[in-house]
Amino acid sequence: MLGMLALAPHGARSRRWLREKLWPGKSNVQSSASLRQVLLELRRAIGPTVNHYFHTDKNTVSINTDHVVFDHQRALDDPTLAATAEFHPSNLMASIDLADDLYMAWLNGERSAWARKFELFGALDQASLRLQPSSEFPVIALPTVRPRVAPKAALNVRIALLPPSVAYPSPQINRLIPEIYRLLAKSLADLGDYEVIEPYLPASAFWSGDLPVIGPQQMEADLCIGVYLNGADGQQTVTLALVQGRQPLPLWSSETHVPSSTVISMPHFLFPLIAGTVDAAQNHLLSASDADADSLIHGRALARMLDLSATDIDAAEATLRAEITRKPTAQAHALLSFLMTFRVGQRFQAEDVILIEASQYHADAALALGPDNCLVATLCAYVRSYLFGEHNAAAEQFERALRLNPTYPLAWDLYAMLNAYTGTPARALRMANWACELGAHSPQRYYFQTTRAITACFSGEHQVAVEAGEMALRERPSFNSILRVLVSSYAHLGKLDEAAAYLLQLRQIEPDFSIKALRDARYPGLDTEGGRHFIDGLLAAGVTQR
């Protein structure tokens, strides 16, 4: 049991989990009695100081991780230990043999998990983001094979991608067209679980005509996306528009331009246009369609969660649980796993172990159901980092999400936070800037600006932090994370009056705010160089140590 607690996130397991693993096949009465007996023996073995190291309540059993050192954690911090035979993952709990299939399945899973951790050992930079930008924004190499998004039955919101309309065709435009459709179809299918109706695109051809041909399928769709390209005047112009049926005027449109000489296999200049179009489509459908439509549940639940109010989080959880009961989807499981991070918050409590285990369950289910879904990969990577501290493994999973769909702003945003809190704030700020660019049309843009403010503060870019923080605060005036950043950054800029005003506003929300309170709440990244810089600003503004 001690071994199982030592390997648990935050050193805690629920009583139910322990009973199921250690006494499988026994009744609840028998396994509960056995657990109580083991706990009694453990207390006798540890002696009078047991309460300093060990805690139990009616739901959980836990070790105080602040007062206990674990060998396997030491090995992660010391590569010389990790390389020894003693710490080889196959030797994890090797002397404890229960000869039980369920126990051995759990132990083998833990050994595999620690093998992956040792393989990923090293600084986050060594995990290789594989972004080598040739300009201000990053470029990710994409697969050359274009996956088709198969129509799905039983979905009640359909989006049709209209055939392209091309004026002044060129080889560059011919290269852009398949990637535009691939990213639109991938984003819509992954994020909203919409039925995406795609046109047939020949392997190589030029398209022309002022208006796209609208067929029966497009006429019956809830929404259409028109794709217009123009290769005149030595540059490529790409316009995307939302249209309905034979309506002559678009509901929404946006365009981007690029000189022909800069077109590459997957030009990053298209990413904000794709992301903005997907956001506009979701916004339109969420406001104009049946609230109970299956395809809109995910977008509605995520939007409510990111509003950050207790009422909205409760409503999102009720919706997602109802959907999982009725029709489990990868997105619903991933969103429910992500929601548990809001329930736990930054300050871990022993009773939160049940929420953490639930989050792990839903993350595993999501990855099993949707291994190639960018929303699933993004949210599960965040859960892995935030709740379990597996930063290197989370970085690898974020990279995979971005390879699946580099236009998804939330993936860049959450990955930026991971970088800020693990000591690479300059890279984090670059990612956060890109997330804001991609999410410029999103209702959650204040969320992206908050990340930009935090990463800028950690990076010492305080003018940027103030600009982003003020933008976010206009939409969320009582958001304490933004207020903390503004206090610190204004102090670093020497504007102590502004810092004092925001500190007063912050103390109305957090009356006992202090550096100790921040540390007690386990605010991430405080022991990095960026975190210490953040604290220096708070102290300069008049925040007390205690």
Side-chain angles (χ1 to χ4, degrees), residues 58-241:
K58 64 179 182 180
N59 293 315
T60 61
V61 180
S62 61
I63 296 175
N64 188 336
T65 55
D66 292 334
H67 297 144
V68 179
V69 176
F70 302 112
D71 288 344
H72 58 288
Q73 291 288 0
R74 285 197 302 122
L76 287 181
D77 296 332
D78 185 347
T80 58
L81 283 178
T84 62
E86 179 185 359
F87 286 96
H88 191 276
S90 63
N91 289 325
L92 185 67
M93 294 179 67
S95 62
I96 305 174
D97 183 7
L98 299 187
D100 177 81
D101 290 343
L102 193 61
Y103 168 80
M104 290 308 300
W106 166 81
L107 182 55
N108 287 333
E110 288 292 331
R111 289 171 175 171
S112 296
W114 282 98
R116 289 194 301 271
K117 288 182 182 181
F118 287 148
E119 288 170 6
L120 291 167
F121 185 87
L124 182 62
D125 277 338
Q126 295 172 341
S128 176
L129 183 57
R130 288 187 291 281
L131 293 179
Q132 301 297 329
S134 56
S135 64
E136 181 182 358
F137 296 121
V139 181
I140 290 186
L142 293 176
T144 55
V145 178
R146 179 189 179 207
R148 300 287 296 181
V149 179
K152 301 176 183 178
L155 298 179
N156 51 16
V157 173
R158 295 181 298 172
I159 299 177
L161 306 183
L162 301 179
S165 177
V166 181
Y168 301 98
S170 67
Q172 290 90 347
I173 282 180
N174 222 34
R175 196 173 355 169
L176 293 178
I177 288 173
E179 294 299 342
I180 293 171
Y181 281 89
R182 186 192 77 82
L183 284 174
L184 282 172
K186 176 67 175 167
S187 297
L188 291 165
D190 281 0
L191 306 185
D193 203 19
Y194 301 106
E195 179 181 353
V196 181
I197 303 167
E198 295 187 73
Y200 171 71
L201 298 176
S204 63
F206 290 125
W207 292 267
S208 61
D210 294 332
L211 292 174
V213 177
I214 300 178
Q217 279 189 306
Q218 283 83 6
M219 284 295 296
E220 294 173 3
D222 297 276
L223 187 66
C224 300
I225 298 178
V227 180
Y228 309 88
L229 303 101
N230 189 324
D233 301 325
Q235 67 176 3
Q236 316 303 311
T237 300
V238 182
T239 304
L240 299 179

Side-chain angles (χ1 to χ4, degrees), residues 510-534:
E510 295 184 78
D512 300 324
F513 181 72
S514 66
I515 304 302
K516 182 178 184 300
L518 205 60
R519 290 193 177 279
D520 287 347
R522 300 191 181 186
Y523 189 91
L526 293 182
D527 293 325
T528 65
E529 183 178 350
R532 289 188 288 271
H533 186 70
F534 170 56

Side-chain angles (χ1 to χ4, degrees), residues 16-66:
R16 178 178 177 180
W17 189 95
L18 289 168
R19 293 200 311 267
E20 289 175 348
K21 292 293 186 293
L22 292 172
W23 297 280
K26 297 289 184 69
S27 69
N28 286 340
V29 173
Q30 289 174 311
S31 61
S32 295
S34 297
L35 179 58
R36 286 195 298 271
Q37 180 61 34
V38 169
L39 292 173
L40 179 62
E41 293 171 6
L42 183 63
R43 287 186 170 279
R44 288 172 177 167
I46 295 176
T49 61
V50 63
N51 291 332
H52 189 61
Y53 303 106
F54 196 65
H55 174 76
T56 61
D57 59 32
K58 64 179 182 180
N59 293 315
T60 61
V61 180
S62 61
I63 296 175
N64 188 336
T65 55
D66 292 334

Side-chain angles (χ1 to χ4, degrees), residues 346 473 476-489 497-515 517-518 523 534-535 537-539 541-544:
Q346 289 172 350
L473 202 65
R476 289 296 181 276
S478 299
F479 193 11
N480 57 353
S481 292
I482 304 170
L483 292 168
R484 294 167 183 168
V485 167
L486 289 172
V487 170
S488 179
S489 286
D497 288 343
E498 289 87 342
Y502 280 119
L503 180 56
L504 180 62
Q505 191 174 339
L506 176 61
R507 282 178 170 154
Q508 291 173 352
I509 301 167
E510 295 184 78
D512 300 324
F513 181 72
S514 66
I515 304 302
L518 205 60
Y523 189 91
F534 170 56
I535 289 175
L538 294 174
L539 292 171
V543 176
T544 58

Side-chain angles (χ1 to χ4, degrees), residues 211 223-226 228 239-244 246-254 284:
L211 292 174
L223 187 66
C224 300
I225 298 178
Y228 309 88
T239 304
L240 299 179
L242 304 184
V243 295
Q244 281 186 316
R246 297 187 182 277
Q247 181 175 313
L249 296 176
L251 301 167
W252 176 95
S253 68
S254 184
H284 171 76

Side-chain angles (χ1 to χ4, degrees), residues 323-338:
E323 185 189 12
I324 287 173
T325 301
R326 183 175 57 86
K327 187 190 70 173
T329 63
Q331 292 99 324
H333 277 293
L335 287 163
L336 199 49
S337 179
F338 182 56

